[in-house]
Amino acid sequence: MKKSFLLVPILLLNCLSLFPKTFYVATTGNDSASGSLVDPFATIMRAQKSVEAGDTVYIRGGKYIMTENQITRNHRIWAEVNVLNKSGEPDKRINYWAFPNETPIFDLCKIKPENLRVMVFYITASWIHLKGIEVIGTQVTISTHTQSECFHNEGNHNIYEQLSMHDGQAIGFYLLKGSDNLILNCDAYRNWDYTSEGGRGGNADGFGCHPQPGGINNIFRDCRAWFNSDDGYDCIRASESVTFDHCWSFYNGYSPNFIELGDGNGFKAGGWGLQIDNRFPDTIPMHTIQFCLAVKNRANGFYSNHQPGGSYWYNNTASLNGTNFNMLNRTKDLTADVPGYDHVLKNNLSYASRTYDTQWIDSTKCILENNTFSVPIKVTKADFQSLDQSQLISPRKPDGSLPDIKFMKLKKNSKLIDKGVDIGFEFSGKSPDLGAFDY
Ligand code: CA
Ligand code: CA
């Protein structure tokens, strides 16, 4: 009898912790509050103290003007503003989500730590999910070589969804460590580091993914990058393969009034620099770039950036880039630039480059199937429903997915329909079409 009396409260306690809890953060909140809907916290850092695996933090809409007393930690060369270091568990993520139909905007314009790089969200946690957060105005205070970052991931199994990083001087999303992360439906735009190294903006990419050994299975899906002063997507010095799927990249390497700035590649898939160092991988990773769109980037649309090996390029569409597809490689010992080898290019569409449709492809050392430039097929404007670039920045759909646009979608009767080779993706009609959009 006595035993069962004791068991009841213990069981109750155990059950209570099984139910996920919900906390709230609001611009009108207070960190000594309870964190409830009517009594919200003021900061994500306070909410993190209360959460456990499976819990959700809803962030109410409005502008959070961050101040320097909210820097969690100054560490080495970094000022880390929000440090997310509490992990969820498999199938019990910790969620930091925008409150439904509201947009929380974190404005970093007042955080200008002297001689420190700004990291707005530094994430070492795993199994967390960030959704619907906007970061603007991130600063650079250093005039020599440097970079600031909006989201810096070092964790595993995280989801970054519907994030928007814009009108700052920082890289939008940055990864050096961590595996199995999904970056979904995110936008990085109008980021220009005009402070460091003469204001050329050569480090402000929209998305940077440079995983160290073990950082496998990181995927960028349905993201957009435009008017970032350096590249749209950059995975130079990646020891592991990175996948870009259904991502758009346009106007990178330019200011919003088309002043020429940094490197300006749509997708910079690889590269290692000029010397073999201790991070140089035994096996050169082959990146995958599929169903992506690159338009009017200052330099190249799809670029292998002196990579000492090939990548997989499937069903991409490029237009109005300096060069649409530039497969420039370097020898395995990094001593010389050579025409691209070991690349697999299938079903790609090139139209109206500013200079070259393709450059640096050694067709005897690559697999080329059914690309407009390898068949070849002459592409004309009559193949497309629209060439109106303004559609590229149309608002996303309510669920965060990419807008339905007509830009560079194939017209009925286009000769590019059903001209692709089956590489295992779903398609309509008799065969896959060429380019990023199946008719
Ligand atoms: Ca870059
Ligand atoms: Ca088809």
Side-chain angles (χ1 to χ4, degrees):
M1 268 317 263
K2 202 177 173 190
K3 228 178 189 173
S4 64
F5 273 116
L6 270 173
L7 267 175
V8 172
I10 290 168
L11 279 174
L12 259 178
L13 271 176
N14 280 343
C15 285
L16 279 177
S17 68
L18 288 178
F19 289 105
K21 299 183 296 298
T22 305
F23 298 95
Y24 298 84
V25 171
T27 55
T28 54
N30 182 330
D31 277 351
S32 32
S34 66
S36 68
L37 179 62
V38 291
D39 193 24
F41 295 135
T43 67
I44 288 181
M45 290 307 292
R46 174 61 191 87
Q48 180 178 236
K49 282 194 182 135
S50 294
V51 292
E52 297 175 293
D55 291 350
T56 297
V57 176
Y58 280 114
I59 308 156
R60 302 298 306 265
K63 203 177 250 193
Y64 296 78
I65 300 186
M66 305 298 282
T67 51
E68 289 191 2
N69 61 7
Q70 288 182 277
I71 296 172
T72 297
R73 180 169 87 143
N74 287 331
H75 179 63
R76 295 176 48 222
I77 57 173
W78 298 101
E80 301 163 0
V81 183
N82 295 292
V83 178
L84 298 180
N85 54 10
K86 191 183 267 187
S87 293
E89 294 167 14
D91 301 319
K92 281 173 81 181
R93 291 178 193 281
I94 296 173
N95 302 311
Y96 297 92
W97 290 350
F99 190 83
N101 303 314
E102 295 186 8
T103 307
I105 302 170
F106 290 82
D107 187 339
L108 275 289
C109 69
K110 290 191 171 157
I111 296 199
K112 298 181 177 182
E114 217 174 307
N115 293 319
L116 290 174
R117 303 177 174 200
V118 178
M119 242 191 239
V120 183
F121 284 86
Y122 177 45
I123 297 107
T124 59
S126 296
W127 296 105
I128 71 168
H129 184 178
L130 284 84
K131 185 176 178 185
I133 298 169
E134 235 173 280
V135 175
I136 63 171
T138 307
Q139 301 293 302
V140 167
T141 64
I142 298 165
S143 60
T144 52
H145 182 74
T146 187
Q147 66 191 38
S148 290
E149 298 149 7
C150 298
F151 293 89
H152 181 126
N153 175 81
E154 292 188 358
N156 309 311
H157 301 281
N158 294 322
I159 300 175
Y160 296 88
E161 184 179 3
Q162 273 179 272
L163 306 178
S164 178
M165 301 73 73
H166 63 100
D167 295 289
Q169 298 194 61
I171 296 169
F173 175 89
Y174 193 71
L175 182 152
L176 288 178
K177 294 182 188 169
S179 69
D180 301 279
N181 297 289
L182 174 65
I183 300 87
L184 175 68
N185 290 339
C186 293
D187 285 337
Y189 57 99
R190 294 193 306 253
N191 297 298
W192 172 12
D193 169 5
Y194 49 81
T195 302
S196 75
E197 296 178 304
R200 176 176 170 267
N203 283 310
D205 297 321
F207 299 86
C209 191
H210 321 272
Q212 294 177 9
I216 58 167
N217 200 27
N218 292 301
I219 299 174
F220 294 78
R221 179 165 290 138
D222 292 5
C223 294
R224 291 188 294 191
W226 69 97
F227 283 134
N228 297 291
S229 59
D230 205 48
D231 305 303
Y233 304 78
D234 189 339
C235 50
I236 191 171
R237 297 174 78 83
S239 299
E240 304 284 1
S241 304
V242 180
T243 297
F244 302 96
D245 179 40
H246 289 88
C247 291
W248 301 355
S249 193
F250 46 104
Y251 309 155
N252 296 292
Y254 291 115
S255 76
N257 44 3
F258 284 99
I259 295 169
E260 297 196 345
L261 296 171
D263 286 356
N265 297 291
F267 296 83
K268 182 187 272 182
W272 201 270
L274 294 165
Q275 277 184 332
I276 289 182
D277 59 19
N278 56 2
R279 279 185 55 198
F280 191 74
D282 293 334
T283 307
I284 302 302
M286 290 184 75
H287 303 300
T288 298
I289 305 91
Q290 60 190 29
F291 298 96
C292 290
L293 179 66
V295 179
K296 203 173 177 178
N297 294 288
R298 189 182 75 74
N300 306 288
F302 296 94
Y303 184 38
S304 65
N305 190 38
H306 317 267
Q307 174 84 332
S311 285
Y312 302 102
W313 313 83
Y314 299 141
N315 278 94
N316 301 296
T317 292
S319 183
L320 296 173
N321 303 284
T323 295
N324 279 345
F325 292 85
N326 185 341
M327 297 293 114
L328 176 66
N329 277 166
R330 195 161 279 175
T331 50
K332 298 278 185 199
D333 61 4
L334 302 183
T335 56
D337 281 337
V338 290
Y341 55 89
D342 294 349
H343 291 286
V344 183
L345 293 124
K346 299 184 181 185
N347 300 351
N348 294 293
L349 191 171
S350 177
Y351 172 65
S353 66
R354 300 202 316 278
T355 311
Y356 301 107
D357 278 325
T358 65
Q359 266 187 299
W360 294 94
I361 300 179
D362 183 340
S363 58
T364 67
K365 294 180 180 165
C366 294
I367 297 172
L368 293 164
E369 290 179 9
N370 299 48
N371 308 285
T372 57
F373 46 85
S374 58
V375 174
I377 302 177
K378 185 157 174 53
V379 186
T380 70
K381 68 177 181 197
D383 286 305
F384 303 108
Q385 297 176 29
S386 167
L387 291 173
D388 170 18
Q389 295 166 31
S390 69
Q391 297 173 14
L392 292 168
I393 54 168
S394 301
R396 288 176 172 273
K397 292 192 226 170
D399 68 356
S401 54
L402 287 166
D404 288 325
I405 60 171
K406 295 193 163 122
F407 177 77
M408 293 203 83
K409 284 205 173 136
L410 302 179
K411 238 185 204 163
K412 190 182 164 190
N413 301 328
S414 161
K415 56 195 171 301
L416 311 180
I417 291 173
D418 287 347
K419 287 300 190 306
V421 62
D422 185 357
I423 41 184
F425 303 107
E426 262 183 54
F427 58 84
S428 55
K430 289 201 305 270
S431 306
D433 305 342
L434 303 190
F437 306 110
D438 196 56
Y439 177 72

